[in-house]
Protein backbone atom coordinates (compact mmCIF):
# COMPACT_ATOMS: atom_id res chain seq x y z
CA UNK A 1 0.00 0.00 0.00
CA UNK A 2 2.71 2.52 0.89
CA UNK A 3 4.46 1.88 -2.43
CA UNK A 4 1.31 2.91 -4.32
CA UNK A 5 1.14 6.12 -2.27
CA UNK A 6 4.79 6.96 -2.92
CA UNK A 7 4.22 6.40 -6.62
CA UNK A 8 1.15 8.67 -6.53
CA UNK A 9 3.01 11.38 -4.60
CA UNK A 10 5.83 11.37 -7.15
CA UNK A 11 3.38 11.76 -10.03
CA UNK A 12 1.56 14.68 -8.37
CA UNK A 13 4.81 16.38 -7.30
CA UNK A 14 6.13 16.32 -10.86
CA UNK A 15 2.85 17.56 -12.33
CA UNK A 16 2.60 14.53 -14.63
CA UNK A 17 -0.67 13.81 -16.47
CA UNK A 18 -1.13 10.05 -16.66
CA UNK A 19 -3.81 7.47 -16.06
CA UNK A 20 -3.06 4.17 -14.41
CA UNK A 21 -4.67 1.08 -12.99
CA UNK A 22 -3.38 -1.33 -10.37
CA UNK A 23 -4.05 -4.49 -8.40
CA UNK A 24 -3.86 -3.34 -4.78
CA UNK A 25 -3.91 -5.12 -1.43
CA UNK A 26 -6.97 -3.69 0.27
CA UNK A 27 -5.86 -2.28 3.61
CA UNK A 28 -6.97 0.23 6.25
CA UNK A 29 -3.89 2.25 5.26
CA UNK A 30 -5.98 3.65 2.41
CA UNK A 31 -7.81 6.48 4.15
CA UNK A 32 -10.26 8.73 2.24
CA UNK A 33 -7.52 11.38 1.98
CA UNK A 34 -5.04 8.91 0.52
CA UNK A 35 -7.63 7.67 -1.96
CA UNK A 36 -8.12 11.28 -3.09
CA UNK A 37 -4.37 11.54 -3.64
CA UNK A 38 -4.39 8.35 -5.70
CA UNK A 39 -7.15 9.78 -7.88
CA UNK A 40 -5.24 13.06 -8.37
CA UNK A 41 -2.25 11.02 -9.51
CA UNK A 42 -4.37 9.44 -12.25
CA UNK A 43 -5.47 6.14 -10.69
CA UNK A 44 -8.79 5.28 -12.31
CA UNK A 45 -9.34 1.63 -11.42
CA UNK A 46 -8.16 -0.68 -8.66
CA UNK A 47 -8.63 -4.43 -8.42
CA UNK A 48 -8.87 -5.85 -4.90
CA UNK A 49 -8.39 -9.42 -3.73
CA UNK A 50 -11.48 -9.39 -1.52
CA UNK A 51 -11.58 -13.21 -1.38
CA UNK A 52 -14.51 -13.93 0.96
CA UNK A 53 -17.40 -12.28 2.75
CA UNK A 54 -16.92 -14.56 5.75
CA UNK A 55 -14.66 -13.26 8.51
CA UNK A 56 -14.02 -16.86 9.56
CA UNK A 57 -12.68 -17.74 6.11
CA UNK A 58 -10.67 -14.50 5.94
CA UNK A 59 -9.04 -15.36 9.26
CA UNK A 60 -8.45 -18.95 8.17
CA UNK A 61 -6.58 -17.81 5.07
CA UNK A 62 -4.65 -15.17 7.06
CA UNK A 63 -6.00 -12.29 5.02
CA UNK A 64 -5.06 -9.69 7.62
CA UNK A 65 -8.23 -7.70 6.98
CA UNK A 66 -11.87 -8.17 7.91
CA UNK A 67 -15.11 -7.55 6.04
CA UNK A 68 -15.95 -4.29 7.83
CA UNK A 69 -12.56 -2.76 7.00
CA UNK A 70 -12.68 -3.84 3.37
CA UNK A 71 -16.18 -2.38 3.00
CA UNK A 72 -15.04 0.99 4.35
CA UNK A 73 -11.86 1.10 2.25
CA UNK A 74 -13.69 0.16 -0.94
CA UNK A 75 -16.21 2.94 -0.33
CA UNK A 76 -13.37 5.44 0.09
CA UNK A 77 -11.89 4.43 -3.27
CA UNK A 78 -15.25 4.65 -4.99
CA UNK A 79 -16.06 8.03 -3.43
CA UNK A 80 -12.71 9.33 -4.72
CA UNK A 81 -13.75 8.46 -8.28
CA UNK A 82 -11.73 5.26 -8.66
CA UNK A 83 -13.54 2.27 -10.17
CA UNK A 84 -13.23 -0.75 -7.90
CA UNK A 85 -13.03 -4.34 -9.09
CA UNK A 86 -13.55 -7.21 -6.66
CA UNK A 87 -11.90 -10.61 -6.99
CA UNK A 88 -13.66 -13.16 -4.80
CA UNK A 89 -13.97 -16.92 -4.65
CA UNK A 90 -16.04 -19.66 -3.11
CA UNK A 91 -15.09 -23.20 -2.21
CA UNK A 92 -12.28 -22.61 0.29
CA UNK A 93 -11.67 -25.88 2.18
CA UNK A 94 -14.10 -25.99 5.07
CA UNK A 95 -16.35 -23.24 3.68
CA UNK A 96 -20.07 -23.84 4.22
CA UNK A 97 -22.81 -23.00 1.76
CA UNK A 98 -23.94 -20.14 4.00
CA UNK A 99 -20.44 -18.65 3.97
CA UNK A 100 -20.26 -18.89 0.19
CA UNK A 101 -23.65 -17.21 -0.11
CA UNK A 102 -22.52 -14.47 2.28
CA UNK A 103 -19.78 -13.50 -0.19
CA UNK A 104 -22.32 -13.12 -3.00
CA UNK A 105 -24.75 -11.24 -0.76
CA UNK A 106 -21.97 -8.83 0.22
CA UNK A 107 -21.24 -8.04 -3.43
CA UNK A 108 -24.95 -7.42 -3.94
CA UNK A 109 -25.16 -5.11 -0.91
CA UNK A 110 -22.19 -3.06 -2.13
CA UNK A 111 -23.00 -3.26 -5.85
CA UNK A 112 -23.43 0.52 -6.14
CA UNK A 113 -19.77 0.81 -5.17
CA UNK A 114 -18.47 -2.32 -6.91
CA UNK A 115 -17.88 -1.65 -10.60
CA UNK A 116 -16.72 -5.09 -11.68
CA UNK A 117 -16.45 -8.40 -9.86
CA UNK A 118 -15.49 -11.98 -10.35
CA UNK A 119 -16.64 -14.85 -8.13
CA UNK A 120 -14.35 -17.73 -8.99
CA UNK A 121 -13.63 -21.11 -7.48
CA UNK A 122 -10.92 -21.43 -4.84
CA UNK A 123 -7.56 -22.55 -6.18
CA UNK A 124 -4.51 -23.75 -4.27
CA UNK A 125 -1.92 -21.02 -4.87
CA UNK A 126 1.81 -21.81 -4.56
CA UNK A 127 3.38 -20.27 -1.48
CA UNK A 128 0.10 -19.78 0.37
CA UNK A 129 -0.16 -21.12 3.91
CA UNK A 130 -2.69 -23.72 2.87
CA UNK A 131 -0.43 -24.92 0.04
CA UNK A 132 2.51 -25.23 2.42
CA UNK A 133 0.47 -26.97 5.15
CA UNK A 134 -2.46 -28.72 3.43
CA UNK A 135 -2.98 -31.18 6.28
CA UNK A 136 -3.86 -28.33 8.66
CA UNK A 137 -6.78 -27.35 6.43
CA UNK A 138 -8.36 -30.77 6.16
CA UNK A 139 -6.87 -31.76 2.79
CA UNK A 140 -6.07 -35.40 2.24
CA UNK A 141 -4.45 -35.20 -1.19
CA UNK A 142 -2.93 -32.57 -3.50
CA UNK A 143 -2.25 -33.51 -7.11
CA UNK A 144 -0.17 -31.82 -9.82
CA UNK A 145 0.20 -32.62 -13.50
CA UNK A 146 3.35 -34.55 -14.30
CA UNK A 147 4.92 -31.74 -16.35
CA UNK A 148 3.85 -28.89 -14.06
CA UNK A 149 7.43 -28.37 -12.86
CA UNK A 150 6.61 -25.10 -11.08
CA UNK A 151 3.64 -26.65 -9.27
CA UNK A 152 1.30 -23.84 -10.36
CA UNK A 153 -1.94 -25.76 -10.89
CA UNK A 154 -3.15 -28.08 -8.17
CA UNK A 155 -6.23 -30.15 -7.57
CA UNK A 156 -7.03 -31.14 -4.02
CA UNK A 157 -9.35 -33.41 -2.09
CA UNK A 158 -10.85 -32.63 1.30
CA UNK A 159 -11.23 -35.20 4.04
CA UNK A 160 -14.71 -33.91 4.91
CA UNK A 161 -16.09 -31.42 2.35
CA UNK A 162 -18.42 -28.88 3.97
CA UNK A 163 -20.36 -28.24 0.77
CA UNK A 164 -21.48 -31.02 -1.58
CA UNK A 165 -22.84 -30.67 -5.10
CA UNK A 166 -25.04 -33.77 -4.79
CA UNK A 167 -27.52 -31.83 -2.67
CA UNK A 168 -27.84 -29.03 -5.19
CA UNK A 169 -25.92 -26.58 -3.01
CA UNK A 170 -23.37 -25.71 -5.70
CA UNK A 171 -26.25 -24.98 -8.07
CA UNK A 172 -27.85 -22.70 -5.49
CA UNK A 173 -24.61 -20.78 -5.15
CA UNK A 174 -24.25 -20.46 -8.93
CA UNK A 175 -27.78 -19.09 -9.21
CA UNK A 176 -27.02 -16.49 -6.53
CA UNK A 177 -23.91 -15.36 -8.45
CA UNK A 178 -25.88 -15.18 -11.70
CA UNK A 179 -28.53 -12.97 -10.08
CA UNK A 180 -25.93 -10.41 -8.97
CA UNK A 181 -24.03 -10.63 -12.26
CA UNK A 182 -27.23 -9.85 -14.16
CA UNK A 183 -26.77 -6.18 -13.24
CA UNK A 184 -23.39 -6.00 -14.98
CA UNK A 185 -21.97 -6.41 -18.49
CA UNK A 186 -19.42 -9.01 -17.43
CA UNK A 187 -17.29 -11.01 -19.86
CA UNK A 188 -14.71 -13.73 -19.63
CA UNK A 189 -11.06 -12.90 -20.26
CA UNK A 190 -9.76 -11.17 -22.33
CA UNK A 191 -12.76 -9.03 -23.32
CA UNK A 192 -13.86 -5.70 -21.86
CA UNK A 193 -15.83 -6.32 -18.69
CA UNK A 194 -13.27 -8.76 -17.25
CA UNK A 195 -11.41 -7.83 -14.08
CA UNK A 196 -7.87 -6.45 -14.49
CA UNK A 197 -7.75 -6.26 -18.30
CA UNK A 198 -6.57 -3.32 -20.37
CA UNK A 199 -9.84 -3.53 -22.31
CA UNK A 200 -11.83 -2.77 -19.18
CA UNK A 201 -9.49 0.00 -18.06
CA UNK A 202 -9.95 1.83 -21.38
CA UNK A 203 -13.72 1.69 -20.93
CA UNK A 204 -13.39 3.14 -17.43
CA UNK A 205 -11.30 5.99 -18.82
CA UNK A 206 -13.84 6.84 -21.50
CA UNK A 207 -17.13 6.18 -19.70
CA UNK A 208 -16.35 6.40 -16.00
CA UNK A 209 -16.73 4.13 -13.00
CA UNK A 210 -20.12 2.70 -13.92
CA UNK A 211 -19.20 1.71 -17.47
CA UNK A 212 -20.11 -1.95 -16.90
CA UNK A 213 -23.27 -1.55 -14.85
CA UNK A 214 -26.29 -2.27 -17.04
CA UNK A 215 -28.34 0.73 -15.82
CA UNK A 216 -25.49 3.01 -16.96
CA UNK A 217 -25.26 1.22 -20.28
CA UNK A 218 -28.97 1.58 -20.94
CA UNK A 219 -28.91 5.27 -20.03
CA UNK A 220 -25.96 5.88 -22.35
CA UNK A 221 -27.66 4.02 -25.20
CA UNK A 222 -30.61 6.42 -24.94
CA UNK A 223 -28.39 9.49 -25.44
CA UNK A 224 -28.03 11.06 -28.91
CA UNK A 225 -24.92 10.00 -30.86
CA UNK A 226 -21.76 11.74 -29.70
CA UNK A 227 -20.15 14.27 -32.00
CA UNK A 228 -16.82 13.44 -33.64
CA UNK A 229 -13.75 14.47 -31.72
CA UNK A 230 -11.03 16.86 -32.88
CA UNK A 231 -9.48 14.05 -34.89
CA UNK A 232 -12.71 13.73 -36.89
CA UNK A 233 -13.51 10.27 -35.55
CA UNK A 234 -16.65 9.49 -33.59
CA UNK A 235 -16.01 7.97 -30.13
CA UNK A 236 -16.71 4.29 -29.61
CA UNK A 237 -20.27 3.49 -28.57
CA UNK A 238 -21.07 1.84 -25.27
CA UNK A 239 -23.57 -0.22 -27.21
CA UNK A 240 -20.63 -2.10 -28.66
CA UNK A 241 -20.45 -3.99 -25.37
CA UNK A 242 -23.76 -5.63 -26.27
CA UNK A 243 -23.00 -6.39 -29.92
CA UNK A 244 -22.92 -10.12 -30.68
CA UNK A 245 -19.51 -11.74 -30.60
CA UNK A 246 -18.12 -13.45 -33.67
CA UNK A 247 -18.05 -16.60 -31.55
CA UNK A 248 -20.42 -17.85 -28.90
CA UNK A 249 -18.83 -17.03 -25.55
CA UNK A 250 -21.31 -19.33 -23.80
CA UNK A 251 -20.45 -22.22 -26.10
CA UNK A 252 -16.74 -21.71 -25.52
CA UNK A 253 -17.29 -21.61 -21.74
CA UNK A 254 -19.32 -24.84 -21.91
CA UNK A 255 -16.61 -26.54 -23.96
CA UNK A 256 -13.99 -25.41 -21.46
CA UNK A 257 -15.97 -26.75 -18.51
CA UNK A 258 -16.54 -30.05 -20.29
CA UNK A 259 -12.82 -30.37 -20.98
CA UNK A 260 -11.84 -29.65 -17.39
CA UNK A 261 -14.48 -31.92 -15.87
CA UNK A 262 -14.26 -34.92 -18.18
CA UNK A 263 -10.61 -34.90 -19.10
CA UNK A 264 -8.40 -33.00 -16.68
CA UNK A 265 -9.99 -34.11 -13.44
CA UNK A 266 -10.30 -37.65 -14.72
CA UNK A 267 -6.64 -37.77 -15.69
CA UNK A 268 -5.56 -36.28 -12.39
CA UNK A 269 -7.35 -39.05 -10.53
CA UNK A 270 -6.32 -41.94 -12.77
CA UNK A 271 -3.59 -43.24 -10.50
CA UNK A 272 -3.47 -47.00 -10.18
CA UNK A 273 -6.07 -48.44 -7.84
CA UNK A 274 -4.70 -49.67 -4.56
CA UNK A 275 -1.65 -47.44 -4.68
CA UNK A 276 -0.97 -45.77 -1.33
CA UNK A 277 -1.82 -42.10 -1.58
CA UNK A 278 0.62 -39.51 -0.39
CA UNK A 279 -0.32 -35.94 0.54
CA UNK A 280 1.31 -34.52 -2.62
CA UNK A 281 1.63 -36.61 -5.77
CA UNK A 282 1.93 -36.39 -9.56
CA UNK A 283 -0.77 -37.41 -12.02
CA UNK A 284 -0.09 -39.12 -15.36
CA UNK A 285 -1.00 -36.10 -17.46
CA UNK A 286 1.46 -34.34 -19.75
CA UNK A 287 1.70 -32.00 -22.71
CA UNK A 288 1.25 -34.95 -25.06
CA UNK A 289 -1.99 -36.04 -23.41
CA UNK A 290 -3.23 -32.45 -23.39
CA UNK A 291 -2.58 -32.09 -27.12
CA UNK A 292 -4.44 -35.30 -27.77
CA UNK A 293 -7.47 -34.07 -25.86
CA UNK A 294 -7.33 -30.63 -27.47
CA UNK A 295 -7.32 -32.24 -30.92
CA UNK A 296 -10.51 -34.08 -30.03
CA UNK A 297 -12.30 -30.92 -28.85
CA UNK A 298 -14.75 -29.06 -31.07
CA UNK A 299 -13.02 -26.44 -33.27
CA UNK A 300 -13.59 -22.76 -32.54
CA UNK A 301 -15.25 -22.33 -35.93
CA UNK A 302 -18.07 -24.56 -34.69
CA UNK A 303 -18.83 -22.12 -31.89
CA UNK A 304 -19.74 -19.06 -33.95
CA UNK A 305 -22.35 -16.77 -32.40
Amino acid sequence: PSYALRFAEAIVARGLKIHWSSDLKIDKYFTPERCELLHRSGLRSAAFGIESGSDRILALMRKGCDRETMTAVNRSFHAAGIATEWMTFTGHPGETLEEGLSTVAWIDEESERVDLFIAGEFGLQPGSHIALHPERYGLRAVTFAEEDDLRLYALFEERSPARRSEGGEDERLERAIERVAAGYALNHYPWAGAVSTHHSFLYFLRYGQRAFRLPALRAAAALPPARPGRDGRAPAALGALREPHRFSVDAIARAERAFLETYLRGAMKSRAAGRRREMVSLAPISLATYRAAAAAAAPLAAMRG
Side-chain angles (χ1 to χ4, degrees):
S2 60
Y3 177 83
L5 252 298
R6 291 199 299 271
F7 179 67
E9 288 169 347
I11 293 171
V12 172
R14 288 166 173 76
L16 301 177
K17 302 294 183 182
I18 69 170
H19 290 119
W20 57 292
S21 176
S22 181
D23 288 6
L24 294 175
K25 182 181 185 298
I26 193 164
D27 190 277
K28 63 182 179 181
Y29 178 87
F30 291 118
T31 62
E33 295 75 22
R34 286 168 172 163
C35 291
E36 291 285 350
L37 172 61
L38 288 168
H39 184 269
R40 290 202 307 275
S41 76
L43 182 66
R44 291 297 180 267
S45 71
F48 298 135
I50 296 292
E51 323 307 2
S52 173
S54 163
D55 280 334
R56 187 184 75 85
I57 296 297
L58 292 172
L60 194 62
M61 64 179 294
R62 302 187 173 197
K63 178 67 178 175
C65 202
D66 60 19
R67 174 169 167 162
E68 182 179 0
T69 300
M70 289 193 283
T71 298
V73 171
N74 179 79
R75 291 183 178 186
S76 294
F77 270 85
H78 198 269
I82 301 168
T84 61
E85 312 170 42
W86 283 20
M87 295 178 284
T88 68
F89 59 73
T90 61
H92 188 284
E95 180 190 79
T96 65
L97 171 64
E98 290 70 26
E99 288 171 325
L101 289 171
S102 74
T103 300
V104 184
W106 185 25
I107 297 171
D108 193 22
E109 291 166 10
E110 293 298 310
S111 61
E112 291 306 311
R113 292 163 292 268
V114 177
D115 301 298
L116 276 179
F117 79 89
I118 182 171
E121 188 72 17
F122 171 80
L124 206 58
Q125 297 298 315
S128 65
H129 194 262
I130 186 173
L132 296 173
H133 305 283
E135 69 286 349
R136 299 186 189 180
Y137 291 82
L139 304 188
R140 64 180 179 186
V142 178
T143 311
F144 295 91
E146 192 171 32
E147 294 188 0
D148 184 6
D149 296 330
L150 298 179
R151 301 292 178 90
L152 297 179
Y153 305 101
L155 291 179
F156 61 88
E157 298 175 32
E158 296 180 66
R159 285 195 294 269
S160 302
R163 182 166 50 86
R164 299 179 181 276
S165 59
E166 301 93 271
E169 294 182 348
D170 286 341
E171 289 78 3
R172 182 178 166 189
L173 188 55
E174 284 299 316
R175 287 195 301 271
I177 294 171
E178 289 171 1
R179 282 195 296 272
V180 179
Y184 294 78
L186 302 177
N187 286 302
H188 296 282
Y189 287 101
W191 294 287
V195 171
S196 301
T197 65
H198 295 306
H199 308 61
S200 300
F201 179 55
L202 293 176
Y203 270 84
F204 284 135
L205 287 185
R206 181 176 289 276
Y207 302 112
Q209 290 169 282
R210 311 305 279 163
F212 297 102
R213 289 304 311 273
L214 289 186
L217 289 174
R218 296 188 183 106
L223 295 175
R227 295 179 180 179
R230 282 180 291 182
D231 58 4
R233 293 184 297 178
L238 273 171
L241 286 171
R242 299 191 301 276
E243 290 180 1
H245 299 291
R246 289 179 56 206
F247 299 94
S248 169
V249 177
D250 290 338
I252 294 172
R254 288 194 298 271
E256 179 186 33
R257 283 196 298 271
F259 174 82
L260 292 174
E261 291 298 329
T262 62
Y263 168 70
L264 180 58
R265 289 186 180 276
M268 293 290 244
K269 295 179 180 178
S270 62
R271 285 161 288 178
R275 174 182 168 185
R276 184 179 67 84
R277 286 190 172 183
E278 299 175 354
M279 175 58 73
V280 178
S281 58
L282 296 177
I285 178 175
S286 65
L287 182 60
T289 54
Y290 171 82
R291 285 174 173 166
L300 192 63
M303 301 179 188
R304 290 192 176 276

